[in-house]
Amino acid sequence: MRPIRPLFTVRNRRSARTRTSPVAAVALGAALVLTATACGPSEDNAGGDSSSAQPGDSNGDDKIQIPDAWKDKLKEKGIDLDEWKNGAWKNWNQDDWLREAGEFVNPIIEDLWDPDRMRDADKNPDRGVDDSDISGDQGVTDPTPKPVEAAAVKAPYHDQVAESGKLFFDGPKGSMVCSATVVKDPAHPGKSNMVWTAGHCVHAGAKGGWYRNMIFVPSYNDSGKSAEELQNAPKEEVAPYGVWWGDWAQTSDQWIEQGGPTGGKGAPYDFAVIHVKPEKGSEGKSLEETVGSALPVDFNAPAVPQIDTMTATGYPAAPPFDGQKLFQCADKPGRLSLSKPDPTMYRVGCTMTGGSSGGGWVAKGQDGKPALVSNTSIGPVTSGWLAGPRLGKEAKGIYSAVSKKFADQ
């Protein structure tokens, strides 16, 4: 199987080894990482203005403005903010990747992600899984589902799935992409700034760190234009609801300790939550208010036999797709077990490829209403199905921790 990993990995800063690992996001990369959809690196231009003002920064001419607490942490790692903005973030040696750092640092670099850079970001840390990764005697695995042809979402996307969007970030191999979903925030009803995606879309796993320059673009290419048509499209059309930088990311310790570019290790815990803020301000509106919707997350979804249909949504970027358009697959889920001690995963037939990693899976929750119940994690080397983690206590712990962290903001 091949994981639908981010098209490129997100900036790696290792969080404390708690059950839920925090990633203090200072937007450093624009590539998205998907397990099953991998795209090659592209030439990145780090030029561009710096971040929107953040509390605690008073350096008048500085273009990257970061809270004092973050400045101190960056200084401890020997990072010069001006050098970072001017391209130092492209240095991916072990020290600069900050694997052992306790937080995810992602300073805003304003206009780093212009329409061309977004369009050209198509890499995906390929995390393939083959038949040898699936053992028939480990847990419960249902027969391989028949492929379900991915269906193009009708444009404008915002009218169909306003919660869905595209994740961009930078990794060692270039700019990458994943998919993500706006989810509700218990601490801020109706005003959430929280986004759900896959763990491999924010952190490279056992042999890497946090990705950099991470942004979320809700309803990316809302009008469904082709790659050719997007070449001259203004940013307001490519990102109609703005560009939102991750200022915190959190994934599971299991993913950080076990995950990798191939195989299924860590996949049952391949989920993450990102807290975001607007690149240029939003007149006080939250992400949920801006897009007009957010999905609840069900951490105790009905058992597989009781679920008639799950719908996976994402921006597949590996051939035959190009990452510019939104697609969906709907199928009755089955079960997939990669390792007996780990939770059994959901599996559906679907022809989406890398780039769709991290995209939300929606089904009827315990209350009978639509809820996010999983996210795209892995798929086979030859596309035909996708698998996503069951969201249990570990996932709920991460979700609750991110909500609590920003409860007073």
Side-chain angles (χ1 to χ4, degrees):
M1 293 190 248
R2 84 184 150 151
I4 305 216
R5 293 296 171 201
L7 288 175
F8 260 31
T9 51
V10 180
R11 172 178 179 225
N12 183 309
R13 245 183 101 178
R14 171 110 203 223
S15 45
R17 292 186 176 235
T18 58
R19 176 60 69 178
T20 61
S21 301
V23 184
V26 180
L28 302 176
L32 301 179
V33 179
L34 299 179
T35 301
T37 62
C39 301
S42 60
E43 291 299 321
D44 295 327
N45 182 352
D49 295 333
S50 63
S51 82
S52 56
Q54 299 181 31
D57 185 275
S58 59
N59 298 336
D61 295 331
D62 284 356
K63 295 192 175 182
I64 296 183
Q65 299 173 8
I66 301 172
D68 291 337
W70 286 1
K71 286 183 182 178
D72 293 341
K73 291 172 183 176
L74 292 174
K75 288 178 180 177
E76 288 174 6
K77 294 296 179 180
I79 293 177
D80 179 278
L81 298 184
D82 286 332
E83 291 181 0
W84 186 269
K85 187 255 318 182
N86 289 325
W89 60 263
K90 294 180 181 179
N91 187 341
W92 291 93
N93 66 37
Q94 188 66 20
D95 291 336
D96 287 338
W97 204 356
L98 305 179
R99 175 170 174 80
E100 296 306 322
E103 297 177 345
F104 169 70
V105 177
N106 192 46
I108 292 175
I109 304 177
E110 192 173 304
D111 295 328
L112 172 65
W113 290 100
D114 60 24
D116 289 340
R117 196 167 194 263
M118 290 184 197
R119 187 189 66 246
D120 294 340
D122 59 356
K123 296 181 176 35
N124 174 17
D126 208 3
R127 190 170 176 255
V129 185
D130 58 33
D131 292 340
S132 65
D133 294 312
I134 304 176
S135 300
D137 61 348
Q138 293 181 323
V140 178
T141 295
D142 293 323
T144 301
K146 294 181 180 179
V148 172
E149 195 70 27
V153 174
K154 182 180 179 181
Y157 302 149
H158 182 265
D159 290 349
Q160 317 301 323
V161 280
E163 308 88 357
S164 296
K166 193 169 179 179
L167 194 65
F168 296 86
F169 49 94
D170 287 315
K173 296 180 180 179
S175 296
M176 296 182 282
V177 295
C178 277
S179 301
T181 306
V182 184
V183 293
K184 292 188 175 297
D185 180 356
H188 296 287
K191 298 182 178 182
S192 175
N193 284 309
M194 290 170 56
V195 174
W196 192 282
T197 189
H200 73 258
C201 294
V202 302
H203 193 286
K207 294 185 178 180
W210 300 104
Y211 295 120
R212 302 172 178 172
N213 303 327
M214 189 174 301
I215 63 166
F216 174 66
V217 179
S219 295
Y220 171 80
N221 186 24
D222 194 38
S223 58
K225 288 190 172 183
S226 66
E228 293 73 20
E229 293 173 320
L230 286 175
Q231 291 194 13
N232 298 313
K235 191 170 184 177
E236 293 71 23
E237 189 169 340
V238 174
Y241 297 92
V243 171
W244 298 73
W245 285 75
D247 58 357
W248 185 263
Q250 196 156 327
T251 187
S252 68
D253 278 349
Q254 290 92 336
W255 170 253
I256 289 176
E257 294 168 2
Q258 303 171 18
T262 59
K265 287 187 177 180
Y269 302 94
D270 185 18
F271 38 72
V273 176
I274 305 169
H275 188 275
V276 300
K277 62 182 177 182
E279 179 176 271
K280 297 184 179 181
S282 62
E283 300 179 349
K285 284 188 176 181
S286 66
L287 174 60
E288 181 177 1
E289 291 172 301
T290 300
V291 304
S293 185
L295 282 173
V297 184
D298 194 329
F299 298 100
N300 188 27
V304 167
Q306 300 172 13
I307 300 177
D308 293 330
T309 303
M310 275 189 181
T311 300
T313 303
Y315 284 87
F321 306 96
D322 63 7
Q324 308 308 314
K325 296 182 179 182
L326 191 63
F327 286 82
Q328 290 183 323
C329 289
D331 192 21
K332 182 173 178 58
R335 295 163 291 184
L336 174 66
S337 177
L338 298 176
S339 174
K340 196 169 185 178
D342 290 330
T344 298
M345 301 178 71
Y346 294 117
R347 181 164 61 165
V348 296
C350 186
T351 60
M352 283 198 292
T353 58
S356 61
S357 286
W361 291 25
V362 177
K364 289 182 180 179
Q366 291 287 348
D367 61 1
K369 297 180 180 180
L372 186 142
V373 297
S374 186
N375 58 262
T376 298
S377 173
I378 59 174
V381 176
T382 56
S383 63
W385 56 262
L386 300 175
R390 293 198 62 148
L391 305 183
K393 62 180 181 179
E394 291 85 2
K396 186 176 182 179
I398 292 172
Y399 176 77
S400 299
V402 175
S403 175
K404 183 177 179 180
K405 178 176 177 62
F406 292 90
D408 297 328
Q409 300 182 30

